[in-house]
Amino acid sequence: MIKLIKNKVRFKDGIFEEAGEAPTAGRNGTIAYKILLKHSASGSCGENAARGKVSPDLFKLRFDALASHDITFVNIVQTAKASGLEKFPMPYILTNCHNSLCAVGGTINEDDHRFGLSAAIKYGGVYVPPHLAVIHSYIRETMAGCGKMILGSDSHTRYGALGAMGIGEGGGELVKQALERTYDISPPDVIAVHMTGAPRVGVGPHDVALAIIGAVFKTGFVKNKALEFVGEGVANLPIDFRAGIDVMTTETACLSSIWETDDEVKRFLSIHGRADEYQKLAPDNGAWYDGLIEVDLSSIKPMIALPFHPSNVFEIDYFLSNAADMLRAIEKEAGDIIESKNAALRLLEKLDENGRFRVDQGIIAGCAGGTFDNIMAASAIVAAMRPDFSQPPFSVYPGSQPVALELARNGAIGKLIENGAIVKTAFCGPCFGAGDVPANNEFSIRHTTRNFPNREGAKPAGGQLAAVSLMDSRSIAATIGNNGFLRSAEGIEAAAQPAPAYHYDGTPYKARVYCGLGRAKPDARLQYGPNIADWPPIPSLGKRLLLKIISFITDEVTTTDEIIPSGETSSFRSNPLGLAEFTFSRKDPSYVGKAKSVRDLADWFKDAFVAGAAERASAAEGMANAEKLLPGFGGMIQRLAQIEGAALNAVQFGSAVFARKPGDGSAREQAASCQRVLGGCANFANEYATKRYRSNLINWGILPFIINGEPPFKNGDYVYIPNIAEAISMAPHSRASITAFVIDERGASADGASTDAGVYAFELALPELTEVEKEIIKDGCLMNYNKRTLDMKEAG
């Protein structure tokens, strides 16, 4: 079905052959590198582009457009404003597809929308009102074109099927672009995805996407690499099919994706009034790749991604044949993951006496599911199968109003409604737990992007638990047509019915979208709501760093949803301190209180320690209060003095967490900023799940340390890193090692007399950092760096 070639390969005369080390010219022959070289604005990569060479150093990229939605754009604009933003230097699309519902939190969601409109007016952006389009549907329809690069603050920023490289990053990277700075990355590996054959009847884009994710995610084969889709099989896929696969490449952990283009892409762009944005994209004969994924489309069957990750993939038929054992395993895994005595999944009870498995909900929505072809297929299948009134709830969200308009005109929406579907507006809520939250212990099947724990919106701490599995719209419709008993769409005659021609009508956009491109109005005022708050002051990095480990997570992977929950928290994302109250609430409910205890001592700690004053600091006013906040604080100071003697000046005190592999999932910068505003200074990890999470940490001044193997500290210990600022400045471009010390919390008694613990030295890896990243960390965050460098520029 899918074969992985982990050696380098060369594309020659239409075939791939294993080869040795790729020459520079061969790497430059890939579609990905042609686009990257075109967008490298300065530095060695850009300077060498004309000579056909690539430096091993950095691409310094400038993008053609930016895109954000309403749980990210407020913070991005606030940060850019504080950094001196005057106007958006490229198209910036502000969509409103996440906080579309305004029932939670009073007026605050709609206040954010009004802020977005005022920002588009003031700085010259594009504002797409709520319910009009999900972010990626709008960009596909109006902005993505061949050879472009688009940076978005949503992790599923992928437009490769239209010949545009999309990258999803945290808000800090969009701020850099808005301030006409660059996105700096080392030249990525490129993996060819060679597609052959054609999909069988009943197989849709989610089936192919899930099969690929299941094959590559757990091994990290494509992590932080670019995927390049080529081969004769591409021509057998309509654009919506390609886009449905493409948007899910995010779940492979790749950096970006790009597809070869053909007449199908040209036709799509022409339909949308952008024929001039087409160009033929294909690898050069002799292009070299860092690996190969062979995908035989004809061999892929309808798939299901079981809880609790898109990579937990099986053929639907296999699952049905082994349902009892697999459901039992899911129940156990739920107990291991959730760690709540108040909640438990009971899925085995959904098997009837005939071994049939009944689901409780079906959803087709968002950038992955809400496309025209997907909904047309679902409409045809349910109309042919005509379910009775015992079917489970079934919701369908077209990805944009133009798509909904065409579905209404050709009768597809009518067929869906006649057969029990609830057709709703463009909204991403079901993807992250802000819409169609199932009842406790229910099993939902969804053509959406993710099925992480609690991604459906349940709250285990309140005794609530539900499960989500990912499936293609075709098999979801087949299951609904089967009165809720799970089945694949394979063998259903209606699934073979081709989608009718799509007629794009952009009238809904003309009526509602504000387009301020090139028309910034500097005198216009930003419209604030009572929940929209400025960023609190962020301190710069001290010469020395003292960290208290306040959370210790040993899960194999920690998602951004587990760091800062989606769904119920989304309305608070314009208020940094308000949102921070939810940090790690699903994994470590005690985190916020512990973080505040450290933060409340940080300023006193900094003022107390001046050169030669260790003894005075121990007896200084406030030590009694310090002992109340952090018992044993005085004993820790005694041990710290043993390391440094009297020279304890310029020590920054903050909190830190350990997680084995944090950052899988969303691009949301709040997973880092919430830690930072609570006084977080560092993450310790064996590795970081995504580049975007690591970038978010750096942009918020949080050191992304690496530890090989088991950490030498435990929860509650202190880690002291002398001369951290100097170590960062002197670190080479590659990973560096520095000496740190563990101060065991067992020895942190007030008199320092405990014999059960002591001070332990260990080697800590300082990860690869660019020169700009070093400066951002030393300044404390990107916002401080921007202000400092702007002040320097104005000073001349």
Side-chain angles (χ1 to χ4, degrees):
M1 184 166 66
I2 293 178
K3 181 181 179 182
L4 306 183
I5 307 297
K6 298 186 178 182
N7 299 322
K8 288 182 168 55
V9 298
R10 179 173 57 179
F11 176 73
K12 187 174 182 181
D13 300 329
I15 64 172
F16 288 90
E17 57 187 16
E18 292 193 38
E21 190 65 30
T24 298
R27 176 71 63 80
N28 289 357
T30 63
I31 306 171
Y33 266 67
K34 292 176 186 178
I35 295 175
L36 289 167
L37 286 166
K38 175 184 173 184
H39 288 81
S40 191
S42 61
S44 53
C45 283
E47 293 163 0
N48 284 324
R51 299 194 295 272
K53 297 179 180 179
V54 175
S55 163
D57 297 325
L58 290 174
F59 279 116
K60 302 176 77 65
L61 302 173
R62 289 206 175 128
F63 289 79
D64 298 294
L66 308 177
S68 293
H69 48 61
D70 47 347
I71 56 175
T72 57
F73 66 56
V74 175
N75 288 160
I76 292 169
V77 171
Q78 288 280 75
T79 304
K81 170 178 169 279
S83 304
L85 176 70
E86 296 180 355
K87 64 179 181 179
F88 297 139
M90 72 274 286
Y92 189 5
I93 318 303
L94 308 178
T95 66
N96 293 270
C97 52
H98 280 58
N99 278 355
S100 303
L101 303 181
C102 300
V104 178
T107 69
I108 59 180
N109 285 356
E110 196 63 19
D111 291 340
D112 286 356
H113 301 157
R114 294 294 182 269
F115 177 92
L117 175 57
S118 68
I121 293 170
K122 182 177 181 65
Y123 299 116
V126 176
Y127 174 82
V128 184
H131 305 288
L132 204 59
V134 301
I135 179 172
H136 305 309
S137 294
Y138 185 83
I139 300 299
R140 290 173 195 149
E141 292 169 343
T142 67
M143 189 61 62
C146 299
K148 286 186 175 181
M149 290 197 74
I150 298 174
L151 184 66
S153 57
D154 183 88
S155 56
H156 291 98
T157 302
R158 294 285 189 269
Y159 312 112
L162 296 173
M165 291 186 74
I167 296 178
E169 271 285 1
E173 296 303 324
L174 277 77
V175 170
K176 292 177 186 176
Q177 293 290 307
L179 298 176
E180 299 189 79
R181 290 176 172 163
T182 59
Y183 177 79
D184 300 345
I185 58 169
S186 299
D189 287 354
V190 184
I191 305 295
V193 184
H194 184 219
M195 310 194 87
T196 58
R200 61 176 71 189
V201 173
V203 168
H206 230 35
D207 298 313
V208 178
L210 293 175
I212 294 172
I213 295 164
V216 305
F217 176 80
K218 292 178 182 178
T219 64
F221 179 48
V222 302
K223 180 179 176 181
N224 295 331
K225 301 174 185 177
L227 297 183
E228 188 159 307
F229 290 79
V230 296
E232 60 271 25
V234 172
N236 295 323
L237 304 178
I239 285 297
D240 276 0
F241 204 116
R242 300 180 200 183
I245 299 170
D246 187 62
V247 76
M248 289 298 291
T249 61
T250 295
E251 305 310 321
T252 69
C254 73
L255 173 73
S256 186
S257 59
I258 191 68
W259 293 55
E260 63 178 334
T261 60
D262 55 17
D263 287 345
E264 181 71 5
V265 177
K266 186 176 183 179
R267 185 183 67 83
F268 179 93
L269 293 173
S270 297
I271 289 171
H272 290 81
R274 298 188 288 122
D276 59 335
E277 294 192 34
Y278 174 76
Q279 59 178 287
K280 176 66 176 175
L281 299 178
D284 292 345
N285 198 35
W288 290 57
Y289 296 86
D290 299 282
L292 174 67
I293 304 172
E294 291 277 8
V295 179
D296 178 4
L297 293 167
S298 65
S299 69
I300 294 175
K301 293 171 63 69
M303 310 295 286
I304 182 169
L306 296 172
F308 294 92
H309 199 275
S311 63
N312 192 21
V313 176
F314 302 90
E315 292 179 354
I316 293 175
D317 291 343
Y318 178 86
F319 167 69
L320 290 174
S321 297
N322 300 274
D325 289 341
M326 299 181 82
L327 292 170
R328 196 172 291 112
I330 294 170
E331 290 178 348
K332 182 181 183 304
E333 185 178 0
D336 294 340
I337 291 175
I338 302 304
E339 299 176 353
S340 172
K341 296 180 180 178
N342 301 321
L345 275 180
R346 301 181 305 278
L347 302 180
L348 283 165
E349 64 189 34
K350 301 182 186 301
L351 284 173
D352 71 3
E353 65 277 6
N354 298 314
R356 298 183 303 173
F357 180 71
R358 183 175 171 83
V359 305
D360 301 294
Q361 183 190 63
I363 306 290
I364 300 172
C367 55
T371 64
F372 177 77
D373 285 3
N374 284 337
I375 296 175
M376 283 301 310
S379 176
I381 291 169
V382 295
M385 298 181 72
R386 302 198 65 80
D388 63 32
F389 288 103
S390 67
Q391 64 168 288
F394 177 36
S395 296
V396 177
Y397 296 75
S400 72
Q401 284 292 79
V403 168
L405 180 60
E406 180 67 1
L407 292 167
R409 286 172 173 168
N410 69 21
I413 283 181
K415 290 180 180 179
L416 285 166
I417 294 173
E418 288 171 359
N419 289 283
I422 305 298
V423 180
K424 303 183 180 182
T425 56
F427 179 39
C428 296
C431 291
F432 64 96
D436 280 300
V437 179
N440 180 57
N441 201 49
E442 287 196 338
F443 191 97
S444 177
I445 53 173
R446 304 186 173 198
H447 193 152
T448 56
T449 56
R450 289 189 174 129
N451 61 336
F452 295 164
N454 316 125
R455 185 80 177 184
E456 77 296 323
K459 299 180 180 179
Q464 309 166 12
L465 202 57
V468 167
S469 284
L470 303 182
M471 289 168 48
D472 190 82
S473 63
R474 292 150 186 81
S475 291
I476 293 173
T479 298
I480 297 297
N482 200 34
N483 297 316
F485 290 104
L486 187 70
R487 66 156 297 171
S488 81
E490 190 170 15
I492 296 178
E493 186 176 342
Q497 181 177 319
Y502 176 64
H503 305 93
Y504 173 75
D505 185 345
T507 302
Y509 293 155
K510 294 175 184 176
R512 298 292 309 281
V513 171
Y514 173 80
C515 184
L517 297 180
R519 296 186 290 115
K521 299 180 179 180
D523 294 334
R525 298 181 63 182
L526 293 174
Q527 182 171 333
Y528 286 83
N531 182 63
I532 298 175
D534 290 328
W535 291 106
I538 305 293
S540 59
L541 182 66
K543 292 181 180 180
R544 303 170 175 87
L545 187 60
L546 176 66
L547 301 167
K548 183 171 179 62
I549 309 299
I550 62 171
S551 191
F552 198 94
I553 300 171
T554 58
D555 294 349
E556 183 179 347
V557 177
T558 304
T559 69
T560 48
D561 285 80
E562 292 170 311
I563 298 172
I564 187 68
S566 56
E568 77 272 18
T569 70
S570 60
S571 296
F572 298 94
R573 291 188 187 171
S574 302
N575 186 328
L577 293 175
L579 180 64
E581 294 293 324
F582 297 91
T583 312
F584 283 107
S585 58
R586 289 179 178 168
K587 293 304 298 180
D588 185 357
S590 66
Y591 171 86
V592 172
K594 291 183 291 186
K596 287 181 177 179
S597 295
V598 173
R599 185 189 64 187
D600 291 347
L601 281 177
D603 288 341
W604 173 82
F605 188 90
K606 183 178 179 181
D607 293 339
F609 283 102
V610 294
E615 296 81 8
R616 188 170 66 211
S618 297
E621 183 179 357
M623 178 58 77
N625 182 52
E627 283 288 332
K628 290 179 182 179
L629 288 172
L630 293 177
F633 190 71
M636 181 278 300
I637 288 179
Q638 295 280 351
R639 294 195 176 276
L640 183 59
Q642 292 173 16
I643 301 172
E644 287 289 343
L648 289 176
N649 59 311
V651 175
Q652 182 178 7
F653 182 39
S655 59
V657 301
F658 169 79
R660 296 198 186 281
K661 189 178 179 181
D664 188 22
S666 174
R668 69 180 74 117
E669 65 176 306
Q670 292 93 345
S673 66
C674 284
Q675 295 179 61
R676 189 64 168 135
V677 299
L678 288 171
C681 292
N683 276 195
F684 295 92
N686 297 136
E687 64 173 303
Y688 292 93
T690 59
K691 177 194 175 300
R692 53 186 174 271
Y693 179 69
R694 178 185 174 279
S695 295
N696 287 338
L697 292 176
I698 292 169
N699 284 331
W700 280 103
I702 298 177
L703 281 154
F705 289 121
I706 298 289
I707 290 179
N708 295 321
E710 292 299 314
F713 51 78
K714 63 183 184 305
N715 202 18
D717 284 350
Y718 295 85
V719 174
Y720 178 61
I721 309 171
N723 302 319
I724 182 63
E726 181 181 353
I728 291 172
S729 297
M730 300 299 292
H733 184 55
S734 58
R735 184 182 298 185
S737 179
I738 59 176
T739 299
F741 297 89
V742 176
I743 303 176
D744 195 312
E745 59 92 20
R746 291 175 300 173
S749 58
D751 59 5
S754 173
T755 60
D756 295 330
V759 175
Y760 310 94
F762 71 101
E763 291 302 305
L764 183 62
L766 188 65
E768 178 179 328
L769 298 170
T770 68
E771 293 304 314
V772 170
E773 288 174 336
K774 293 177 184 179
E775 294 301 312
I776 291 171
I777 289 174
K778 288 190 294 183
D779 284 337
C781 65
L782 175 64
M783 191 162 47
N784 292 354
Y785 169 81
N786 287 337
K787 187 177 186 307
R788 177 178 64 82
T789 53
L790 181 63
D791 289 346
M792 290 173 58
K793 182 178 179 181
E794 290 178 348

